[in-house]
């Protein structure tokens, strides 16, 4: 068995004697922007997860690999080949109006949704949602309370969400893979990016079309 982990856009070329691929995609977490705001900001959502267990391929075929970025203004979606083959949605950005949703429009045999960001307190920012992983969806970020920021979502297996900022403090960045950025506290200015996504391709070469390659 062999595998390749992609952390940025690339091309995957199918290896010799390989006729099936397992594909796993993680979307990036949403971000919270750098614009100064009088009002606190809710947390960003965590990235989703998708797995295709046996994609039929031929040796030498080339496939586009797209990996979501957690940076402000960049797409957080990750996919293999096309966005209708195997697809993991990135988390939504945090906003004053409401928390960012976790990535939940995912395509594959197995899918998990990212956690939603937390809402604002009186002045504290919401925590970022946790990224999804193979066995569980991401957990929701905690809401801000009064002047304190909420904790980021954690415990589900994906990248942790960033903590929301207290009054005058910027939220923390989301963790890799797929954690959403924490919302800023009131009157703070700065960026809390989301954790990037990734794509993992796994395969087993065969001696013939009848069975796996023997050592």
């Amino acid at each position: 068995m062999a595998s390749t982990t992609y952390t940025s856009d690339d091309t995957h070329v199918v290896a010799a004697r390989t006729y099936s691929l397992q594909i796993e995609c993680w979307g990036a977490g949403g971000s919270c922007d750098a614009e100064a705001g009088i009002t606190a900001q809710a947390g960003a959502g965590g990235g989703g997860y998708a797995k295709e267990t046996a994609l039929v391929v031929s040796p030498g075929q080339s496939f586009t690999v797209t990996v979501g970025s957690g940076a402000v203004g960049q797409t957080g979606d990750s996919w293999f080949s096309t966005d209708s083959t195997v697809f993991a949605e990135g988390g939504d950005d945090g906003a004053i109006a409401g928390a960012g949703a976790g990535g939940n429009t995912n395509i594959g045999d197995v899918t998990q949704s990212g956690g939603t960001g937390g809402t604002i307190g009186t002045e504290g920012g919401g925590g970022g949602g946790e990224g999804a992983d193979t066995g569980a969806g991401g957990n929701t970020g905690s809401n801000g309370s009064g002047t304190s920021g909420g904790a980021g979502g954690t415990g589900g297996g994906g990248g942790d969400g960033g903590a929301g900022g207290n009054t005058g403090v910027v939220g923390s960045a989301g963790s890799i893979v797929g954690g959403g950025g924490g919302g800023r506290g009131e009157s703070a200015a700065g960026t809390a990016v989301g954790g990037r996504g990734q794509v993992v391709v796994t395969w087993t070469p065969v001696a013939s079309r009848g069975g796996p390659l023997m050592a």
Side-chain angles (χ1 to χ4, degrees):
M1 182 179 291
S3 68
T4 300
T5 299
Y6 295 98
T7 59
S8 59
D9 295 353
D10 211 324
T11 299
H12 181 83
V13 179
V14 179
R17 302 187 303 277
T18 299
Y19 300 93
S20 178
L21 302 176
Q22 175 182 279
I23 311 297
E24 295 178 278
C25 296
W26 288 259
S31 63
C32 292
D33 64 35
E35 181 180 357
I38 297 174
T39 304
Q41 188 179 42
Y49 168 83
K51 177 170 72 173
E52 186 74 16
T53 55
L55 182 69
V56 176
V57 297
S58 297
Q61 271 189 286
S62 295
F63 293 94
T64 298
V65 178
T66 301
V67 177
S69 167
V72 174
Q74 301 295 313
T75 180
D77 301 337
S78 297
W79 66 86
F80 184 85
S81 185
T82 72
D83 60 6
S84 60
T85 306
V86 190
F87 175 85
E89 184 180 28
D92 289 343
D93 293 344
I96 295 171
N104 54 33
T105 305
N106 307 301
I107 299 172
D109 295 333
V110 178
T111 62
Q112 302 285 356
S113 296
T116 301
T119 60
I120 63 173
T122 307
E123 298 181 5
E130 182 186 23
D133 200 25
T134 56
N139 288 315
T140 299
S142 297
N143 299 334
S145 178
T147 60
S148 299
T154 188
D160 291 346
N166 299 334
T167 304
V169 178
V170 176
S172 300
S175 298
I176 297 169
V177 176
R184 64 168 182 258
E186 183 174 304
S187 301
T191 299
V193 299
R196 62 157 173 80
Q198 68 180 20
V199 174
V200 176
V201 183
T202 304
W203 67 95
T204 300
V206 298
S208 68
R209 294 301 298 268
L213 183 66
M214 304 302 292

